[in-house]
Amino acid sequence: MASQIEYVVLDKSFGIKEVFPIFEKSLTETELIACGAFRGLNPVNSSIPSSSIDFLISANEFLEDARRYTYFLSPSKYTTEKLSSAFGVDQLGKMDIMLEEGYPRNDYLYNFDKKDVERIKEEIGIPKDKKVLLYAPTWRDNSYKLGAGYSHSFAIDFDRLQEEIGDEYVILFRSHYFIKSDDLPEIEGFIYNVSQHSDVNELYVISDVLITDYSSVFFDYANLNRPMIFHMYDYDSYGSEIRGFYI
């Protein structure tokens, strides 16, 4: 089967073996197109202890994968610089594979219409007279608990928030897919847990404001030219102990 595959598009920052564990060795003549996740951590030159990111593939595996990439998509010159460094493309002297053509997933953010917005809101059950805040925080490396996985630590008083803005707004809560905890905020008629919604682009286009922290969702949402709030309650520890920043 693998020998018949002409193109493979990698849309996550995991390695080839994680995506195709069975066919990894047989993809020798397949064109590999990478779409790297743009994050605060530089996986190749990171000073973060390996124990805190042991679920990720090693820097050597990033380099091994990069040797096999045919193309690497990037949305901008700035992102090209960061992605080529993080995934080892510059180290391998393969800068010619970087294509600054944007991400296909962002096309929808320019092509949706009013009917799409009305349909999505109706499917989720959002009142037509309410504005929408999309709260989409990322996960933390140090939030892992044995037997429970990763969890969120919320520094928001949602009950008070409902008192302050509940007459005008509803909140869509979008958890990171690493978070397996069921202990997520949900207040009937105010907070809607949309973590299982299949297409995050649909959540973007129905939202009037994005609230996030260090998640890369803001790069995509910025295409809509709408307000964003960065709720970085643990800024110092995240920057110095957990991950670090590109920006």
Side-chain angles (χ1 to χ4, degrees):
M1 179 185 295
S3 62
Q4 300 174 5
I5 300 174
E6 186 174 357
Y7 293 96
V8 171
V9 178
L10 305 177
D11 68 342
K12 300 294 183 184
S13 55
F14 297 109
I16 297 168
K17 289 188 290 186
E18 279 68 22
V19 181
F20 293 99
I22 299 175
F23 305 129
E24 187 266 334
K25 292 185 178 180
S26 59
L27 293 173
T28 55
E29 297 181 1
T30 301
E31 303 281 347
L32 299 179
I33 304 173
C35 303
F38 189 57
R39 305 170 303 179
L41 170 66
N42 184 325
V44 176
N45 299 313
S46 175
S47 60
I48 305 296
S50 59
S51 59
S52 66
I53 54 172
D54 57 4
F55 67 94
L56 292 175
I57 61 176
S58 70
N60 287 336
E61 287 177 301
F62 270 104
L63 285 171
E64 187 61 31
D65 287 346
R67 287 189 177 92
R68 299 179 60 181
Y69 292 157
T70 309
Y71 304 108
F72 203 132
L73 293 182
S74 169
S76 68
K77 181 178 179 180
Y78 178 83
T79 310
T80 294
E81 176 188 337
K82 301 307 178 183
L83 288 178
S84 62
S85 172
F87 288 84
V89 175
D90 57 352
Q91 184 176 337
L92 295 172
K94 295 184 58 175
M95 291 299 294
D96 58 316
I97 72 171
M98 302 297 300
L99 301 180
E100 293 176 7
E101 299 292 340
Y103 290 150
R105 68 170 182 260
N106 290 155
D107 290 351
Y108 181 75
L109 303 180
Y110 292 90
N111 297 327
F112 74 95
D113 57 30
K114 184 177 180 180
K115 290 183 179 180
D116 291 321
V117 174
E118 293 174 350
R119 172 186 57 80
I120 299 164
K121 285 186 174 182
E122 184 176 352
E123 289 176 356
I124 297 176
I126 300 173
K128 294 182 179 180
D129 61 338
K130 295 293 181 69
K131 295 179 181 178
V132 178
L133 295 175
L134 173 60
Y135 180 37
T138 192
W139 61 286
R140 269 75 170 160
D141 302 71
N142 62 354
S143 68
Y144 183 83
K145 294 183 179 179
L146 188 64
Y150 291 94
S151 62
H152 281 301
S153 177
F154 299 105
I156 296 179
D157 186 336
F158 290 104
D159 291 323
R160 181 178 177 183
L161 200 58
Q162 183 183 25
E163 293 177 2
E164 296 289 341
I165 67 172
D167 291 338
E168 186 177 1
Y169 288 90
V170 297
I171 293 177
L172 302 184
F173 177 76
R174 175 75 172 194
S175 177
H176 191 281
Y177 60 87
F178 278 178
I179 306 296
K180 303 302 182 183
S181 172
D182 293 326
D183 187 23
L184 301 174
E186 194 162 2
I187 300 177
E188 185 175 357
F190 180 58
I191 298 180
Y192 297 76
N193 187 350
V194 292
S195 299
Q196 301 304 313
H197 195 86
S198 60
D199 188 353
V200 70
N201 274 329
E202 292 191 338
L203 304 180
Y204 293 153
V205 300
I206 65 172
S207 300
D208 298 284
V209 181
L210 170 69
I211 304 175
T212 187
D213 42 24
Y214 320 103
S215 172
S216 61
V217 297
F218 81 89
F219 287 102
D220 294 326
Y221 193 80
N223 286 279
L224 295 171
N225 197 29
R226 297 177 186 177
M228 294 184 282
I229 298 172
F230 292 89
H231 180 53
M232 300 175 172
Y233 61 89
D234 57 349
Y235 179 85
D236 290 337
S237 61
Y238 192 92
S240 61
E241 301 171 13
I242 300 177
R243 281 295 182 101
F245 304 105
Y246 276 132
I247 300 176

